Amino acid sequence: MTIQADLSDGYAPGGAPGPGAPPPGPAEPPSTHPLYSRLTPRYVPPRPDYAPRRAPVPAPPLRLSPMALLRVLGLGAVAIVGLWLAQAEPSVRLDALFATLAHLTGLLAGYGILVMLLLMARVPAVEHGVGADRLARWHALGGRHVLTLCCAHTVFALCGYAVHTGTDVLDATVDLMGYPGLAAAAVGTALLAAVGVTSARTARRRVRQETWRAVHLLTYVGAALAFAHQLAGPDLAGGPLAVWLWTLLHTTVATLLVWYRLVVPARQALRHGLRVTEVRVEGPDVVSVVMRGPGLDALRAEPGQFFRWRFLHRRLWRTALPFSLSAPVRDDTLRITVKACGDHTRRIRRLRPGVRVLATGPFGAMTAHRRTRRKVLLLAGGVGITPMRALFETLPGGPGGLTLLYRAGNAAQLVLREELEEIAAARGAALHYLLGPSDGPFDPLAPQALRNLVPDLALHDVYLCGPPGMSTAAAAALERAGVPADSIHSRREDRSRARDPARSSESRPTQLPPP
């Protein structure tokens, strides 16, 4: 289905000049948009000696690009290797070889732990530039490497001590546990291993979300024990400067964690005082929650971003659920649209006006700043329409420059349909519903089908949000249809995380970011 509107009068909604509007003369009264035809404002020509004061334009938020962050982290790893080389003593003895490898893996493991904590510190410049979904993938991948380095450090240290003392590995282990710093390091390694095991995909599906979060907090204890061990051990034997720099690095990451994960959320809660004002049924198992609070413009939330919402209601207050904004922020009002996928999301339907809400954010990088081309295609699947609906209303674009494709199993599964059609008609945008079962004979997301709907597809920026299978298949089809990979801005709706929390994590029903 395609919804289009005729904007031949040359004016966009709201009375602003559109792409086809002629420039008004300096002495002529401004043309009146039909939406404002009932108003008869008195025209006052501008005074030549007076320049009206313009409202200050806020500076754009600082964003660190993924490549820039990778370069910074890579330079840090190179510096760690340089520190190891500066204190390494070449030797052909087997115990010395084991010892120097233990030092290298220990330093890299300690640095890796700091990187993992930094990725999850919710620093706005990182979150808004890199994106929470990409940070989550990096965090998961990096966690495996950190555990591998920790295990390698332990093995090399045990082997080196055993060779040096002429004992077996078991006796060497007993002897080393007599040193408080080494015993603390062993406990820290065990805690990190427990976090890694519970974060594995097979285990995560069987662990309650609250239990997983509690176990994940042990990461901070493990990091603190590892830091104490490194200060007491030989890994930083290069001198007081190395100890000072290592301590400064840990202090910086700890400060960022405390500030952005504790202080900023508490300050936002006290300042904005969000409360539920309405719970509106949008369709089967789908509701919109409208919240209101003072000074929400200070949050600088952009369409396409999400918050972590904690509803202070019985059986909901313990879990922060990430949901995208389904409408732009206006009149100190926020709105999310939620589909019931598990116990937590079903309880949201029972919220009543007046319930207090703690919102942390905004997060996410799938915003207008990623746009590089004049034409934009929004491609949504299922409840992934929620961030796309906000972008559909706000992304700049004239007739023919903005298209929304909405994939759903049938018409009953379309969410916010009336709003989408009103936006399409008002903006002269194209709106297509791609209906049908995913295993049907016709694939509406095939490359040729997409080119038929959007003839100049390769000239578009594409924003993509939907279930993992649909997102992966659509991204591959878009690339085969000629869209460059760097023009596809994707975020997946991870439905596997949105089941019963007794069996799996429900913290990410519409987004990918981890706690």
Side-chain angles (χ1 to χ4, degrees), residues 369-403:
H369 90 277
R370 283 193 171 182
R371 180 178 180 178
T372 60
R373 300 183 171 195
R374 185 179 68 84
K375 295 186 176 182
V376 177
L377 169 64
L378 306 176
L379 180 53
V383 77
I385 190 62
T386 53
M388 296 300 176
R389 182 256 178 255
L391 289 168
F392 193 44
E393 179 181 349
T394 57
L395 278 177
L402 183 62
T403 303

Side-chain angles (χ1 to χ4, degrees), residues 54 68 126 131 158 303 333-335 342 346 351 363 366 437 488:
R54 296 183 178 180
V126 177
L158 286 175
T333 298
L334 300 175
R335 191 187 76 176
R346 276 192 289 269
L351 290 174
F363 304 110
M366 197 174 68
I488 303 174

